[in-house]
Amino acid sequence: MLFRVDPTSTVPLGDQIAACVRRAVVDGAVAPGERLPAARVLAESLGVNVHTALRGYQRLREEGLIELRRGRGAVVTAGASPHRARLLERVRAVVVDAREIGMTEEELLALVRTELNAG
């Protein structure tokens, strides 16, 4: 699996790391049960702080795409399907779009609830 980050991007490096893994899940380049590089190794290879790599991994854990286990590192979860990863990418894009037009969190959540209730 190839990780790339752009230090000149406005996207935080941790988010870029998470996006690399998300994209690999969507593309089928990583499968459930597969181990990701240790945060320290990943950080060294990218030339970033280990906490930056951990931030990216933490984001993925919150999204349910990886598990972080002491001694085993980061492992892709059984629920990490390409469909879930693609949906997470789309949700992220919707949030970015909503922020760009000045929509509040409450307005966005109300919009999502309306769509969920519509069927």
Side-chain angles (χ1 to χ4, degrees):
M1 182 180 156
L2 182 64
F3 285 87
R4 286 195 182 146
V5 295
D6 178 3
T8 64
S9 172
T10 59
V11 176
L13 294 172
D15 289 347
Q16 291 182 48
I17 290 169
C20 289
V21 175
R22 230 180 270 114
R23 178 55 37 198
V25 171
V26 168
D27 294 342
V30 295
E34 194 167 330
R35 294 172 97 182
L36 298 177
R40 187 170 309 285
V41 171
L42 178 60
E44 287 174 8
S45 72
L46 295 174
V48 300
N49 187 290
V50 69
H51 295 290
T52 300
L54 287 170
R55 230 181 338 271
Y57 280 1
Q58 181 64 27
R59 168 74 56 129
L60 294 163
R61 187 185 71 75
E62 291 167 359
E63 294 173 354
L65 292 179
I66 68 169
E67 293 176 346
L68 295 174
R69 299 180 186 159
R70 188 169 299 281
R72 271 198 76 203
V75 179
V76 179
T77 65
S81 71
H83 298 294
R84 180 182 180 90
R86 193 173 306 110
L87 179 61
L88 288 165
E89 286 180 336
R90 291 167 64 191
V91 167
R92 199 170 252 315
V94 166
V95 170
V96 168
D97 289 347
R99 286 183 177 149
E100 285 178 359
I101 65 170
M103 186 177 278
T104 67
E105 180 179 338
E106 293 77 25
E107 290 170 327
L108 178 58
L109 290 173
L111 184 63
V112 170
R113 283 188 193 100
T114 299
E115 287 302 311
L116 286 170
N117 291 331

